[in-house]
């Protein structure tokens, strides 16, 4: 077990950004090479509207019917409130391990450690969930991608098993890229995000030109549905799953030029762009679907709409672009989890901290965290062999973990605002004022916290009809709650064990903003 005090070895700073990092007690080790578009790409690729909308569209429609579209703007507004708070923090704390670092400085090191612990476990689960999305697309492109059995439906036994196989192959690829130079990572990210944006716009335009009905259909519920509120609460899972990870721009701050000015903007623009594109994609899919009542839309989702409305040739070409988006999304999410592990390990807050905090001087990449995240995510995919219900359980669990971690930042931030101890002023390295909510800080922050806690409870609620529709698997019905309890329990045990051995675990982190 290593000491938790940051290893500060003063070196001649090469830029104002490096000097800013030194003020927080760290030296520049990661290579600072990301520009504004690369920072935007980090957040947008984590959200990845093509990946997540294609992955969960069928689920949202199956429970909510066409009216589930309206959960999209509702979730977008809620997440924009959270993102606005994060933009303020990214300007003041431009450090890797954003959620952990922000929470630690707003509350205390122990509280921040649990926020980081829950966040990094959640990110690992998100990596697994993103890799599973290949099953929604690749067999629809070519039946040969169905390597296991014959039924490609993700909720079938063979579909679930094949999703795990494809996911493990993808994780092997992303782990290799995450061990290379971060310039390679940046290029892959930027090219992938550009292809995703172009593809998403093209899909929206083509589907709108093949509309079968008017937008008024979005006010209709699922056939036979009588519980509108319940349908909307469950239907909101898709939007909630899509619009997470915008904080990745802050996560990459130590690798970004002028992060105090860049990260706040890219956090908001990544979420805003994804929110707009995703909403149009959902609407276009509903309008262009050949049928809303034949049952296929609630099982095959948007893949069915593309190939049916646009023809096999063009539909499969666009699905190939979705594969690119899924690959880049998995890569970006794994990168974000790696930076969280690195940041916590650098403070000596994790087992094998010395190894996890080691940065390859040539590549500027923390290699060990990439391998750890890849292996743990692959292990989670094995649950798909146990039961098809694991597909949804894994997806929902990761959202709950991230929403809870977000609340562990917005909560302490609101307390600090109410006490008057949060300073929204300050300037960046060029002397310009930092991003600030000003007098809107308290109401925006309060609404962000309430929204986050409400959605956490909504997502984690053990609905049998959602998590265990076939019955007989009570552990899937309670999977999210149990996973969260186990995560917190292991965290408590680890903190208790390290507290007996290392006294410095409670030392506050340096905070030059105070």
């Amino acid at each position: 077990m290593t000491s938790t005090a940051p290893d500060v070895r003063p070196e001649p700073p090469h830029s104002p950004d490096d000097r800013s990092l030194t003020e927080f007690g760290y030296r520049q080790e990661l290579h600072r090479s990301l520009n504004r578009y690369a920072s935007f790409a980090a957040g947008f690729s984590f959200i990845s509207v093509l990946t997540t909308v294609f992955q969960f569209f069928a689920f949202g429609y199956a429970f909510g019917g066409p009216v589930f579209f309206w959960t999209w703007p509702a979730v977008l507004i809620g997440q924009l409130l959270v993102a606005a708070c994060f933009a303020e923090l990214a300007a003041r704390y431009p450090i890797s391990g954003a959620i952990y670092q922000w929470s630690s400085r707003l509350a205390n090191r122990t509280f921040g450690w649990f926020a980081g612990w829950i966040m990094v476990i959640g990110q690992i689960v998100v990596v697994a969930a993103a890799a599973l999305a290949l099953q929604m697309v690749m067999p629809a492109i070519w039946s040969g991608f169905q390597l296991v059995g014959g039924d490609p439906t993700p909720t079938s036994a063979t579909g679930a098993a094949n999703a795990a196989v494809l996911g493990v192959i993808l994780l092997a690829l992303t782990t290799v890229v995450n061990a290379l130079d971060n310039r390679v990572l940046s290029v892959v990210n930027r090219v992938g995000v550009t292809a995703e944006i172009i593809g998403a716009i093209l899909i929206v335009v083509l589907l709108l030109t093949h509309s079968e009905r008017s937008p008024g259909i979005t006010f209709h519920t699922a056939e036979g549905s009588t519980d509108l509120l319940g349908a909307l609460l469950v239907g909101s899972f898709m939007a909630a799953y899509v619009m997470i990870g915008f904080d990745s721009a802050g996560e990459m701050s130590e690798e970004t030029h002028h992060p105090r000015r860049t990260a706040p903007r890219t956090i908001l623009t990544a979420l805003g762009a994804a929110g707009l594109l995703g909403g149009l994609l959902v609407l276009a899919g509903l309008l262009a679907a050949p049928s809303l009542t034949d049952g296929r839309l609630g099982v095959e989702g948007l893949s069915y709409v593309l190939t049916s409305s646009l023809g096999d040739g063009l539909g499969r070409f666009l699905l190939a672009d979705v594969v690119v988006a899924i690959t880049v999304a998995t890569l970006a999410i794994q990168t974000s989890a790696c930076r969280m592990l690195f940041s916590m390990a650098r403070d000596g807050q994790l087992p094998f901290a010395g190894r996890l905090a080691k940065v390859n001087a040539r590549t500027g990449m923390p290699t060990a965290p990439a391998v750890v995240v890849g292996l743990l995510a692959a292990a989670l995919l094995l649950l798909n062999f146990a039961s098809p219900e694991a597909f949804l359980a894994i997806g929902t669990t990761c959202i709950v973990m991230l929403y809870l971690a977000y609340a562990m930042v917005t909560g302490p931030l609101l307390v600090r605002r109410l006490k008057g101890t949060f300073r929204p002023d300050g300037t960046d390295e060029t002397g310009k004022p930092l991003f600030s909510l000003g007098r809107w800080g308290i109401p925006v922050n309060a609404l962000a916290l309430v929204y986050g806690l409400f959605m956490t409870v909504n997502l984690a609620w053990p609905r049998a009809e959602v998590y265990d529709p076939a019955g007989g698997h009570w552990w899937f019905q309670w999977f999210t709650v149990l996973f969260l309890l186990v995560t917190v329990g292991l965290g408590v045990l680890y903190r208790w064990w390290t507290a007996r051995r290392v006294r410095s675990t409670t030392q506050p982190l340096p905070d030059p903003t105070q």
Side-chain angles (χ1 to χ4, degrees):
M1 185 57 55
T2 61
S3 169
T4 59
D7 182 12
V8 182
R9 301 172 190 172
E11 298 177 355
H14 302 288
S15 72
D17 297 331
D18 296 350
R19 288 194 293 271
S20 174
L21 187 60
T22 303
E23 293 177 358
F24 289 98
Y26 305 110
R27 70 180 189 273
Q28 186 70 43
E29 294 182 280
L30 304 175
H31 291 181
R32 198 177 290 278
S33 60
L34 305 184
N35 58 21
R36 182 180 298 179
Y37 187 70
S39 176
F40 164 82
F44 189 90
S45 56
F46 192 126
I47 300 171
S48 187
V49 289
L50 287 185
T51 299
T52 46
V53 171
F54 271 81
Q55 187 174 10
F56 271 85
F57 182 96
F59 173 82
Y61 182 82
F63 277 92
V67 76
F68 96 103
F69 165 79
W70 294 105
T71 64
W72 189 275
V75 171
L76 175 59
I77 291 171
Q79 289 295 67
L80 281 172
L81 296 172
V82 177
C85 295
F86 285 5
E88 275 192 315
L89 296 172
R92 287 153 186 80
Y93 306 107
I95 316 171
S96 291
I99 298 298
Y100 156 70
Q101 295 285 352
W102 298 343
S103 184
S104 295
R105 287 171 168 79
L106 292 170
N108 56 63
R109 174 163 253 173
T110 299
F111 189 85
W113 185 91
F114 275 100
W117 173 248
I118 291 172
M119 183 68 181
V120 75
I121 299 298
Q123 287 173 324
I124 292 171
V125 182
V126 179
V127 174
L132 287 174
L134 285 178
Q135 184 62 25
M136 295 296 297
V137 183
M138 293 188 72
I141 298 175
W142 178 49
S143 60
F145 288 125
Q146 185 63 32
L147 306 174
V148 181
D151 187 354
T153 307
T155 52
S156 68
T158 56
N162 196 69
V165 173
L166 294 177
V168 169
I169 294 173
L170 176 57
L171 287 173
L173 172 65
T174 58
T175 300
V176 170
V177 176
N178 260 303
L180 298 175
D181 194 295
N182 74 340
R183 288 171 294 185
V184 175
L185 179 69
S186 175
V187 169
V188 173
N189 239 349
R190 282 179 286 153
V191 171
V193 165
T194 302
E196 178 174 4
I197 292 174
I198 294 173
I201 294 173
L202 187 58
I203 290 172
V204 169
V205 171
L206 289 173
L207 289 182
L208 288 177
T209 61
H210 288 74
S211 294
E212 299 284 343
R213 55 195 64 83
S214 71
I217 193 66
T218 58
F219 293 99
H220 293 197
T221 59
E223 189 175 359
S225 174
T226 57
D227 182 8
L228 176 60
L229 178 59
L232 289 175
L233 289 176
V234 177
S236 67
F237 285 22
M238 186 201 73
Y241 180 70
V242 174
M243 288 179 273
I244 55 174
F246 45 84
D247 53 296
S248 292
E251 199 72 67
M252 304 295 288
S253 287
E254 290 184 32
E255 295 155 88
T256 304
H257 294 300
H258 314 301
R260 292 183 184 273
R261 184 170 68 252
T262 300
R265 296 178 182 178
T266 52
I267 285 174
L268 293 170
T269 54
L271 178 59
L276 176 61
L277 270 178
L280 291 174
L281 192 60
V282 173
L283 178 62
L286 290 171
L287 300 185
S291 173
L292 299 179
T293 57
D294 64 0
R296 295 186 64 183
L297 194 57
V299 176
E300 301 173 50
L302 282 182
S303 297
Y304 152 67
V305 179
L306 252 62
T307 54
S308 299
S309 301
L310 306 180
D312 281 347
L314 181 57
R316 290 176 180 176
F317 172 77
L318 293 173
L319 287 178
D321 187 64
V322 179
V323 172
V324 174
I326 293 170
T327 302
V328 175
T330 306
L331 175 67
I333 300 165
Q334 186 174 7
T335 302
S336 188
C338 290
R339 298 305 179 269
M340 180 67 76
L341 277 178
F342 162 74
S343 184
M344 295 181 72
R346 180 172 55 182
D347 289 345
Q349 297 291 298
L350 293 173
F352 310 106
R355 188 71 185 91
L356 290 172
K358 186 178 176 63
V359 176
N360 187 305
R362 180 181 63 83
T363 65
M365 302 288 274
T367 305
V371 175
V372 169
V373 173
L375 289 175
L376 291 178
L380 276 173
L381 293 184
L382 298 181
L383 286 173
N384 253 35
F385 286 101
S387 175
E389 279 78 16
F391 178 83
L392 181 59
I394 292 173
T396 307
T397 298
C398 68
I399 318 173
V400 171
M401 300 288 281
L402 265 63
Y403 264 76
L404 182 58
Y406 287 175
M408 294 179 74
V409 172
T410 55
L413 177 58
L414 179 60
V415 171
R416 290 277 295 273
R417 289 187 197 277
L418 293 174
K419 289 183 176 179
T421 56
F422 178 72
R423 292 171 53 189
D425 55 351
T427 58
D428 61 21
E429 60 278 354
T430 65
K432 295 181 179 179
L434 298 177
F435 176 86
S436 174
L437 292 173
R439 60 191 178 89
W440 292 100
I442 290 179
V444 168
N445 198 159
L447 289 172
L449 178 60
V450 171
Y451 160 78
L453 293 176
F454 171 78
M455 285 300 293
T456 300
V457 174
N458 176 41
L459 294 165
W461 200 264
R463 301 173 175 92
E465 68 276 15
V466 175
Y467 300 114
D468 187 24
H473 298 91
W474 67 268
W475 55 89
F476 277 122
Q477 179 181 345
W478 290 88
F479 184 86
T480 299
V481 176
L482 292 173
F483 192 92
L484 181 58
L485 289 175
V486 170
T487 299
V488 174
L490 290 175
V492 170
L493 288 175
Y494 176 72
R495 295 292 293 182
W496 171 79
W497 180 61
T498 54
R500 297 179 61 190
R501 302 184 57 177
V502 184
R503 292 183 179 180
S504 58
T505 53
T506 58
Q507 291 180 355
L509 292 168
D511 189 351
T513 68
Q514 298 304 303

